[in-house]
mmCIF file of all heavy atoms in Angstrom:
data_model
loop_
_atom_site.group_PDB
_atom_site.id
_atom_site.type_symbol
_atom_site.label_atom_id
_atom_site.label_comp_id
_atom_site.label_asym_id
_atom_site.label_seq_id
_atom_site.Cartn_x
_atom_site.Cartn_y
_atom_site.Cartn_z
ATOM 1 N N SER A 231 7.517 -53.142 -6.333
ATOM 2 C CA SER A 231 6.863 -52.693 -5.103
ATOM 3 C C SER A 231 5.401 -53.139 -5.064
ATOM 4 O O SER A 231 4.638 -52.874 -6.002
ATOM 5 C CB SER A 231 6.933 -51.164 -5.006
ATOM 6 O OG SER A 231 6.110 -50.701 -3.966
ATOM 7 N N THR A 232 5.010 -53.814 -3.994
ATOM 8 C CA THR A 232 3.619 -54.246 -3.830
ATOM 9 C C THR A 232 2.707 -53.056 -3.613
ATOM 10 O O THR A 232 1.577 -53.017 -4.127
ATOM 11 C CB THR A 232 3.496 -55.198 -2.622
ATOM 12 O OG1 THR A 232 4.402 -56.284 -2.789
ATOM 13 C CG2 THR A 232 2.073 -55.732 -2.500
ATOM 14 N N THR A 233 3.187 -52.068 -2.860
ATOM 15 C CA THR A 233 2.391 -50.857 -2.620
ATOM 16 C C THR A 233 2.110 -50.128 -3.917
ATOM 17 O O THR A 233 0.992 -49.664 -4.164
ATOM 18 C CB THR A 233 3.119 -49.920 -1.648
ATOM 19 O OG1 THR A 233 3.431 -50.634 -0.452
ATOM 20 C CG2 THR A 233 2.254 -48.711 -1.312
ATOM 21 N N GLY A 234 3.125 -50.023 -4.764
ATOM 22 C CA GLY A 234 2.947 -49.361 -6.053
ATOM 23 C C GLY A 234 1.943 -50.084 -6.927
ATOM 24 O O GLY A 234 1.113 -49.459 -7.602
ATOM 25 N N LEU A 235 2.018 -51.421 -6.915
ATOM 26 C CA LEU A 235 1.080 -52.217 -7.705
ATOM 27 C C LEU A 235 -0.355 -51.993 -7.244
ATOM 28 O O LEU A 235 -1.273 -51.844 -8.057
ATOM 29 C CB LEU A 235 1.440 -53.703 -7.595
ATOM 30 C CG LEU A 235 2.623 -54.195 -8.437
ATOM 31 C CD1 LEU A 235 2.977 -55.626 -8.074
ATOM 32 C CD2 LEU A 235 2.271 -54.110 -9.920
ATOM 33 N N GLN A 236 -0.547 -51.991 -5.924
ATOM 34 C CA GLN A 236 -1.901 -51.796 -5.383
ATOM 35 C C GLN A 236 -2.452 -50.436 -5.769
ATOM 36 O O GLN A 236 -3.630 -50.316 -6.134
ATOM 37 C CB GLN A 236 -1.874 -51.947 -3.855
ATOM 38 C CG GLN A 236 -1.618 -53.366 -3.391
ATOM 39 C CD GLN A 236 -1.493 -53.467 -1.881
ATOM 40 O OE1 GLN A 236 -1.362 -52.455 -1.180
ATOM 41 N NE2 GLN A 236 -1.524 -54.690 -1.367
ATOM 42 N N LYS A 237 -1.611 -49.405 -5.701
ATOM 43 C CA LYS A 237 -2.068 -48.056 -6.062
ATOM 44 C C LYS A 237 -2.437 -47.972 -7.536
ATOM 45 O O LYS A 237 -3.450 -47.373 -7.912
ATOM 46 C CB LYS A 237 -0.975 -47.036 -5.741
ATOM 47 C CG LYS A 237 -1.421 -45.588 -5.963
ATOM 48 C CD LYS A 237 -0.370 -44.614 -5.490
ATOM 49 C CE LYS A 237 -0.860 -43.181 -5.673
ATOM 50 N NZ LYS A 237 0.142 -42.188 -5.207
ATOM 51 N N VAL A 238 -1.635 -48.612 -8.399
ATOM 52 C CA VAL A 238 -1.923 -48.620 -9.837
ATOM 53 C C VAL A 238 -3.241 -49.328 -10.110
ATOM 54 O O VAL A 238 -4.089 -48.838 -10.883
ATOM 55 C CB VAL A 238 -0.774 -49.294 -10.621
ATOM 56 C CG1 VAL A 238 -1.196 -49.543 -12.066
ATOM 57 C CG2 VAL A 238 0.466 -48.424 -10.579
ATOM 58 N N PHE A 239 -3.441 -50.491 -9.481
ATOM 59 C CA PHE A 239 -4.665 -51.252 -9.711
ATOM 60 C C PHE A 239 -5.901 -50.501 -9.212
ATOM 61 O O PHE A 239 -6.954 -50.536 -9.855
ATOM 62 C CB PHE A 239 -4.580 -52.622 -9.032
ATOM 63 C CG PHE A 239 -3.739 -53.616 -9.797
ATOM 64 C CD1 PHE A 239 -2.695 -54.280 -9.183
ATOM 65 C CD2 PHE A 239 -3.978 -53.865 -11.149
ATOM 66 C CE1 PHE A 239 -1.909 -55.186 -9.883
ATOM 67 C CE2 PHE A 239 -3.197 -54.765 -11.857
ATOM 68 C CZ PHE A 239 -2.162 -55.432 -11.231
ATOM 69 N N ARG A 240 -5.769 -49.799 -8.084
ATOM 70 C CA ARG A 240 -6.911 -49.033 -7.567
ATOM 71 C C ARG A 240 -7.269 -47.896 -8.521
ATOM 72 O O ARG A 240 -8.428 -47.700 -8.881
ATOM 73 C CB ARG A 240 -6.598 -48.472 -6.175
ATOM 74 C CG ARG A 240 -6.767 -49.459 -5.044
ATOM 75 C CD ARG A 240 -6.892 -48.726 -3.708
ATOM 76 N NE ARG A 240 -5.758 -47.824 -3.481
ATOM 77 C CZ ARG A 240 -4.651 -48.160 -2.834
ATOM 78 N NH1 ARG A 240 -4.502 -49.386 -2.376
ATOM 79 N NH2 ARG A 240 -3.680 -47.284 -2.649
ATOM 80 N N THR A 241 -6.243 -47.159 -8.930
ATOM 81 C CA THR A 241 -6.480 -45.987 -9.780
ATOM 82 C C THR A 241 -6.963 -46.389 -11.164
ATOM 83 O O THR A 241 -7.990 -45.904 -11.652
ATOM 84 C CB THR A 241 -5.196 -45.149 -9.905
ATOM 85 O OG1 THR A 241 -4.752 -44.787 -8.599
ATOM 86 C CG2 THR A 241 -5.451 -43.896 -10.714
ATOM 87 N N CYS A 242 -6.223 -47.286 -11.801
ATOM 88 C CA CYS A 242 -6.556 -47.676 -13.169
ATOM 89 C C CYS A 242 -7.796 -48.560 -13.214
ATOM 90 O O CYS A 242 -8.560 -48.514 -14.183
ATOM 91 C CB CYS A 242 -5.374 -48.393 -13.814
ATOM 92 S SG CYS A 242 -3.904 -47.347 -13.983
ATOM 93 N N GLY A 243 -7.984 -49.375 -12.177
ATOM 94 C CA GLY A 243 -9.177 -50.229 -12.137
ATOM 95 C C GLY A 243 -10.456 -49.415 -12.109
ATOM 96 O O GLY A 243 -11.429 -49.739 -12.798
ATOM 97 N N ALA A 244 -10.451 -48.335 -11.324
ATOM 98 C CA ALA A 244 -11.631 -47.472 -11.259
ATOM 99 C C ALA A 244 -11.912 -46.833 -12.616
ATOM 100 O O ALA A 244 -13.058 -46.801 -13.076
ATOM 101 C CB ALA A 244 -11.420 -46.389 -10.201
ATOM 102 N N HIS A 245 -10.864 -46.359 -13.274
ATOM 103 C CA HIS A 245 -11.054 -45.718 -14.580
ATOM 104 C C HIS A 245 -11.519 -46.718 -15.628
ATOM 105 O O HIS A 245 -12.398 -46.415 -16.447
ATOM 106 C CB HIS A 245 -9.745 -45.066 -15.030
ATOM 107 C CG HIS A 245 -9.878 -44.315 -16.320
ATOM 108 N ND1 HIS A 245 -9.305 -44.769 -17.493
ATOM 109 C CD2 HIS A 245 -10.538 -43.174 -16.647
ATOM 110 C CE1 HIS A 245 -9.597 -43.933 -18.471
ATOM 111 N NE2 HIS A 245 -10.330 -42.953 -17.986
ATOM 112 N N LEU A 246 -10.957 -47.924 -15.628
ATOM 113 C CA LEU A 246 -11.377 -48.950 -16.588
ATOM 114 C C LEU A 246 -12.833 -49.340 -16.388
ATOM 115 O O LEU A 246 -13.556 -49.611 -17.355
ATOM 116 C CB LEU A 246 -10.475 -50.187 -16.453
ATOM 117 C CG LEU A 246 -9.116 -50.086 -17.131
ATOM 118 C CD1 LEU A 246 -8.265 -51.312 -16.796
ATOM 119 C CD2 LEU A 246 -9.267 -49.955 -18.641
ATOM 120 N N MET A 247 -13.279 -49.353 -15.131
ATOM 121 C CA MET A 247 -14.683 -49.673 -14.872
ATOM 122 C C MET A 247 -15.592 -48.579 -15.418
ATOM 123 O O MET A 247 -16.626 -48.855 -16.033
ATOM 124 C CB MET A 247 -14.905 -49.848 -13.358
ATOM 125 C CG MET A 247 -16.263 -50.446 -13.000
ATOM 126 S SD MET A 247 -16.428 -50.750 -11.230
ATOM 127 C CE MET A 247 -15.123 -51.955 -10.987
ATOM 128 N N VAL A 248 -15.201 -47.311 -15.239
ATOM 129 C CA VAL A 248 -15.979 -46.185 -15.769
ATOM 130 C C VAL A 248 -15.994 -46.232 -17.294
ATOM 131 O O VAL A 248 -17.040 -45.996 -17.923
ATOM 132 C CB VAL A 248 -15.389 -44.846 -15.263
ATOM 133 C CG1 VAL A 248 -16.017 -43.668 -15.990
ATOM 134 C CG2 VAL A 248 -15.609 -44.707 -13.768
ATOM 135 N N VAL A 249 -14.842 -46.543 -17.898
ATOM 136 C CA VAL A 249 -14.765 -46.659 -19.356
ATOM 137 C C VAL A 249 -15.721 -47.742 -19.864
ATOM 138 O O VAL A 249 -16.444 -47.548 -20.846
ATOM 139 C CB VAL A 249 -13.320 -46.967 -19.798
ATOM 140 C CG1 VAL A 249 -13.265 -47.401 -21.263
ATOM 141 C CG2 VAL A 249 -12.430 -45.746 -19.591
ATOM 142 N N SER A 250 -15.739 -48.886 -19.180
ATOM 143 C CA SER A 250 -16.621 -49.983 -19.585
ATOM 144 C C SER A 250 -18.084 -49.601 -19.456
ATOM 145 O O SER A 250 -18.894 -49.890 -20.358
ATOM 146 C CB SER A 250 -16.333 -51.224 -18.729
ATOM 147 O OG SER A 250 -14.996 -51.633 -18.855
ATOM 148 N N LEU A 251 -18.444 -48.944 -18.360
ATOM 149 C CA LEU A 251 -19.832 -48.540 -18.154
ATOM 150 C C LEU A 251 -20.301 -47.520 -19.185
ATOM 151 O O LEU A 251 -21.492 -47.427 -19.486
ATOM 152 C CB LEU A 251 -20.008 -47.956 -16.746
ATOM 153 C CG LEU A 251 -19.965 -48.953 -15.588
ATOM 154 C CD1 LEU A 251 -19.963 -48.217 -14.256
ATOM 155 C CD2 LEU A 251 -21.148 -49.917 -15.650
ATOM 156 N N PHE A 252 -19.357 -46.754 -19.727
ATOM 157 C CA PHE A 252 -19.723 -45.752 -20.722
ATOM 158 C C PHE A 252 -19.741 -46.338 -22.133
ATOM 159 O O PHE A 252 -20.714 -46.191 -22.873
ATOM 160 C CB PHE A 252 -18.748 -44.569 -20.674
ATOM 161 C CG PHE A 252 -19.011 -43.534 -21.727
ATOM 162 C CD1 PHE A 252 -20.035 -42.610 -21.577
ATOM 163 C CD2 PHE A 252 -18.248 -43.480 -22.881
ATOM 164 C CE1 PHE A 252 -20.293 -41.658 -22.553
ATOM 165 C CE2 PHE A 252 -18.487 -42.529 -23.867
ATOM 166 C CZ PHE A 252 -19.519 -41.617 -23.699
ATOM 167 N N PHE A 253 -18.672 -47.025 -22.523
ATOM 168 C CA PHE A 253 -18.518 -47.430 -23.920
ATOM 169 C C PHE A 253 -19.394 -48.620 -24.307
ATOM 170 O O PHE A 253 -19.904 -48.681 -25.430
ATOM 171 C CB PHE A 253 -17.055 -47.737 -24.230
ATOM 172 C CG PHE A 253 -16.231 -46.516 -24.502
ATOM 173 C CD1 PHE A 253 -15.423 -45.965 -23.523
ATOM 174 C CD2 PHE A 253 -16.272 -45.898 -25.738
ATOM 175 C CE1 PHE A 253 -14.674 -44.834 -23.767
ATOM 176 C CE2 PHE A 253 -15.529 -44.766 -25.999
ATOM 177 C CZ PHE A 253 -14.725 -44.230 -25.017
ATOM 178 N N ILE A 254 -19.562 -49.589 -23.422
ATOM 179 C CA ILE A 254 -20.337 -50.784 -23.788
ATOM 180 C C ILE A 254 -21.790 -50.440 -24.126
ATOM 181 O O ILE A 254 -22.296 -50.845 -25.187
ATOM 182 C CB ILE A 254 -20.245 -51.852 -22.673
ATOM 183 C CG1 ILE A 254 -18.816 -52.407 -22.601
ATOM 184 C CG2 ILE A 254 -21.236 -52.992 -22.931
ATOM 185 C CD1 ILE A 254 -18.584 -53.375 -21.464
ATOM 186 N N PRO A 255 -22.521 -49.670 -23.279
ATOM 187 C CA PRO A 255 -23.894 -49.301 -23.667
ATOM 188 C C PRO A 255 -23.948 -48.435 -24.926
ATOM 189 O O PRO A 255 -24.852 -48.595 -25.749
ATOM 190 C CB PRO A 255 -24.416 -48.524 -22.449
ATOM 191 C CG PRO A 255 -23.557 -48.942 -21.321
ATOM 192 C CD PRO A 255 -22.217 -49.199 -21.916
ATOM 193 N N VAL A 256 -22.977 -47.509 -25.077
ATOM 194 C CA VAL A 256 -22.976 -46.639 -26.265
ATOM 195 C C VAL A 256 -22.797 -47.465 -27.532
ATOM 196 O O VAL A 256 -23.473 -47.237 -28.543
ATOM 197 C CB VAL A 256 -21.872 -45.569 -26.143
ATOM 198 C CG1 VAL A 256 -21.657 -44.862 -27.477
ATOM 199 C CG2 VAL A 256 -22.239 -44.551 -25.073
ATOM 200 N N MET A 257 -21.893 -48.452 -27.490
ATOM 201 C CA MET A 257 -21.683 -49.297 -28.661
ATOM 202 C C MET A 257 -22.918 -50.140 -28.960
ATOM 203 O O MET A 257 -23.279 -50.338 -30.120
ATOM 204 C CB MET A 257 -20.457 -50.192 -28.448
ATOM 205 C CG MET A 257 -19.138 -49.442 -28.502
ATOM 206 S SD MET A 257 -17.691 -50.524 -28.517
ATOM 207 C CE MET A 257 -17.769 -51.212 -26.868
ATOM 208 N N CYS A 258 -23.567 -50.637 -27.914
ATOM 209 C CA CYS A 258 -24.801 -51.408 -28.116
ATOM 210 C C CYS A 258 -25.906 -50.542 -28.726
ATOM 211 O O CYS A 258 -26.730 -51.025 -29.506
ATOM 212 C CB CYS A 258 -25.283 -51.994 -26.793
ATOM 213 S SG CYS A 258 -24.212 -53.274 -26.114
#
Side-chain angles (χ1 to χ4, degrees):
S231 169
T232 305
T233 305
L235 282 172
Q236 290 176 347
K237 186 174 182 179
V238 169
F239 282 126
R240 279 199 305 268
T241 304
C242 297
H245 184 251
L246 281 174
M247 191 176 297
V248 170
V249 167
S250 301
L251 287 172
F252 177 79
F253 279 99
I254 292 175
V256 168
M257 288 189 292
C258 292

